[in-house]
Amino acid sequence: MIPGRCVSDSQPNQRRGIKSYVLRQGRLTPGQQHALAELWPRFGLEAADGVIEAESLFGRSAPRVVEIGFGMGDSLIAQALANPHIDYIGVEVHKPGVGHLLMSMRDHGCENIRVFSEDSLDVLRLAIAAHSLDVVQLFFPDPWPKKKHHKRRIVNAGFVDLLASRLAPGVPVRPETKFERRGKKLGHRIRDLAYRVKRPAAGAH
């Protein structure tokens, strides 16, 4: 048994088909490489290790936020530093971004982030317990604006159902991101989709 984890006997029937991303690994800087080597054993997580026990992992009971596709981690580190009472779990497939986030965590002494560097569906399906998250953040998820790329979009009915199974009742909030600021400067309209899991009615089964 790995500290901070437990084994789940209930796995959602959610399979990964066509991936929503193309893995273009940029070159790691020496600083990013060093941060990965030094800090991954402390802050890195693996979905294959099983469902996390967040209270053991962070050493406390606190609100939990998952951010999917955190890029270089600027938004995630800003949130974690501004909200030390909240625990954050970042998910990002691109190693340079993971390395950059770990560098920022080290430089700012940030302790309330843990990181997965793998497919978000695997993380949600294998490593996150049902109704254990207060917020899931997915900012500007659609890099495939053409109709022929519709099949690559991560947000679909199955994905939303999976998120709903992992969220506790609550209302999500978010900061402004780098891509949002860029879009506003270009005159683009920004639209948010925010979902809240409703509490079941009294006596409902």
Side-chain angles (χ1 to χ4, degrees):
M1 181 73 72
I2 297 176
R5 298 183 178 275
C6 65
V7 177
S8 171
D9 59 359
S10 176
Q11 300 297 343
N13 185 22
Q14 175 73 17
R15 295 185 177 182
R16 160 61 78 191
I18 297 171
K19 291 184 181 297
S20 61
Y21 58 87
V22 174
L23 191 57
R24 297 188 181 96
Q25 293 290 18
R27 181 173 297 178
L28 289 162
T29 67
Q32 292 167 354
Q33 290 178 327
H34 181 72
L36 282 165
E38 175 190 2
L39 300 176
W40 183 259
R42 181 177 178 188
F43 297 110
L45 303 172
E46 305 284 346
D49 289 335
V51 177
I52 63 172
E53 290 180 344
E55 292 187 11
S56 298
L57 194 64
F58 289 95
R60 64 179 181 177
S61 177
R64 288 174 217 121
V65 176
V66 165
E67 181 168 330
I68 296 172
F70 58 75
M72 298 304 283
D74 296 334
S75 169
L76 183 55
I77 191 73
Q79 292 176 77
L81 292 172
N83 301 286
H85 62 289
I86 296 176
D87 292 333
Y88 292 86
I89 298 171
V91 185
E92 176 58 60
V93 296
H94 297 282
K95 290 295 184 184
V98 175
H100 187 271
L101 174 65
L102 291 173
M103 287 174 58
S104 297
M105 291 171 62
R106 179 193 60 205
D107 294 345
H108 291 91
C110 182
E111 300 282 338
N112 57 328
I113 300 177
R114 300 295 183 271
V115 186
F116 287 94
S117 184
E118 54 193 301
D119 193 297
S120 61
L121 287 186
D122 292 335
V123 172
L124 291 169
R125 184 169 55 87
L126 300 174
I128 304 298
H131 309 301
S132 64
L133 302 176
D134 294 280
V135 175
V136 177
Q137 301 176 161
L138 178 60
F139 300 144
F140 301 92
D142 186 9
W144 312 99
K146 295 181 181 179
K147 186 176 181 179
K148 68 179 181 179
H149 292 310
H150 179 79
K151 61 187 178 183
R152 291 190 179 273
R153 292 174 181 164
I154 187 172
V155 179
N156 55 43
F159 181 72
V160 171
D161 287 343
L162 180 57
L163 290 185
S165 73
R166 298 305 187 250
L167 282 169
V171 179
V173 296
R174 71 171 185 85
E176 187 177 64
T177 73
K178 176 181 68 175
F179 288 105
E180 182 175 14
R181 290 191 294 272
R182 183 184 302 173
K184 286 181 176 178
K185 288 180 180 179
L186 294 173
H188 297 165
R189 295 179 62 187
I190 306 300
R191 298 177 177 87
D192 284 3
L193 298 177
Y195 299 89
R196 180 177 62 188
V197 176
K198 292 184 177 180
R199 297 183 183 276
H205 297 284

